[in-house]
């Protein structure tokens, strides 16, 4: 795509997918689509609330790290808004682990604690 960006036919055909992102990260539209599918699969793949929270938190963390590494949006202010929004959602998901119903065996207490630690540590490291 970067080498064909000067071609007017190419630009017209693929504008809806490429115009929002910097030319170096023209492929970020695919990441957004995969993120949407990944989020939609939450209810399909998992029945337990803690498993659903883990899945969503994992998706948000991966996407947040991707945004911080690539800064894909055309304007830096949009990237900053996207990082802020996803960091707030990561924080919210981490806090929701406190209220998730846990089964009698408490098998995933360590998992919930480690996820809460990771969700706070990743933004601080970055």
């Amino acid at each position: 795509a970067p080498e064909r960006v000067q071609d007017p036919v190419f630009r017209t055909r693929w504008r809806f997918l490429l115009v929002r992102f910097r030319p170096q990260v023209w492929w970020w539209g695919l990441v957004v689509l995969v993120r949407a599918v990944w989020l939609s699969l939450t209810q399909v793949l998992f029945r337990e609330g803690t498993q659903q929270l883990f899945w969503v938190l994992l998706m948000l963390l991966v996407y947040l790290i991707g945004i911080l590494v690539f800064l894909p949006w055309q304007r830096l202010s949009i990237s900053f808004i996207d990082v802020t929004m996803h960091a707030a959602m990561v924080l919210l998901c981490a806090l929701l682990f406190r209220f998730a119903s846990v089964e009698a065996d408490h098998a995933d207490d360590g998992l919930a604690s480690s996820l809460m630690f990771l969700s706070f540590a990743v933004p601080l490291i970055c």
Side-chain angles (χ1 to χ4, degrees):
E3 59 272 355
R4 297 189 59 199
V5 76
Q6 300 304 324
D7 181 15
V9 174
F10 179 81
R11 273 194 318 229
T12 304
R13 182 177 296 156
W14 298 105
R15 182 170 190 231
F16 76 97
L17 192 58
L18 303 175
V19 74
R20 297 179 291 177
F21 311 111
R22 292 184 303 120
Q24 297 85 0
V25 285
W26 56 269
W27 44 266
W28 193 258
L30 296 174
V31 174
V32 173
L33 291 173
V34 168
R35 181 186 132 249
V37 170
W38 193 352
L39 185 59
S40 298
L41 287 176
T42 303
Q43 293 273 329
V44 175
L45 297 177
F46 304 104
R47 296 182 54 91
E48 299 291 326
T50 52
Q51 293 171 341
Q52 292 174 350
L53 271 174
F54 174 73
W55 182 260
V56 170
L57 183 62
L58 181 65
M59 182 271 305
L60 290 172
L61 281 172
V62 168
Y63 188 78
L64 179 63
I65 291 169
I67 294 170
L68 288 170
V69 169
F70 294 108
L71 296 172
W73 301 100
Q74 282 282 359
R75 297 184 185 265
L76 189 59
S77 60
I78 297 173
S79 291
F80 177 72
I81 290 169
D82 203 16
V83 165
T84 304
M85 180 184 66
H86 279 84
M89 287 191 290
V90 165
L91 178 64
L92 180 64
C93 280
L95 293 175
L96 286 175
F97 268 106
R98 175 72 174 100
F99 300 106
S101 63
V102 180
E103 301 300 324
D105 62 348
H106 300 288
D108 55 351
D109 280 345
L111 177 65
S113 300
S114 61
L115 285 175
M116 191 173 245
F117 172 75
L118 282 175
S119 65
F120 288 109
V122 169
L124 292 175
I125 292 171
C126 297

